[in-house]
Amino acid sequence: YMGSWFDHVREYYAARDQLNIHFVQYENMLKDLRGEVVKVCAFLGKDLTDEAIDHVVEMSTFKNMKTDTKANYKDLVETDRYKKETMRKG
């Protein structure tokens, strides 16, 4: 896809119900990460225990994701492609 990022997102947002897409906004995750995790679980049809949701929330923090090699592309085998950290500072 070439062109405006905003046009690209707008097209998917307009078709979100037909394509079964759930949008998660960074700002909402900052305000209420647990609430956003609960919304994703509902979208996926998953009924997690409070303990499991708490674990997902904890593992989804910047602190944990920056050190998780599965979440930080700089630690992948393709080191030539990702020379710098790909996680924001938070």
Side-chain angles (χ1 to χ4, degrees), residues 1-12 23:
Y1 181 82
M2 301 296 280
S4 166
W5 178 85
F6 294 102
D7 291 340
H8 178 73
V9 172
R10 186 180 312 121
E11 288 175 16
Y12 277 96
F23 285 86

Side-chain angles (χ1 to χ4, degrees), residues 21-35:
I21 297 173
H22 177 77
F23 285 86
V24 178
Q25 294 178 329
Y26 174 77
E27 292 79 7
N28 291 344
M29 290 180 4
L30 287 178
K31 289 179 192 173
D32 182 14
L33 180 55
R34 191 176 202 289

Side-chain angles (χ1 to χ4, degrees), residues 30-41:
L30 287 178
K31 289 179 192 173
D32 182 14
L33 180 55
R34 191 176 202 289
E36 292 301 311
V37 169
V38 169
K39 288 178 189 177
V40 169
C41 288

Side-chain angles (χ1 to χ4, degrees), residues 71-74 82-88:
N72 196 341
Y73 293 139
K74 80 172 182 67
Y82 301 104
K83 294 184 189 226
K84 300 192 287 186
E85 290 187 12
T86 55
M87 297 293 293
R88 292 186 188 183

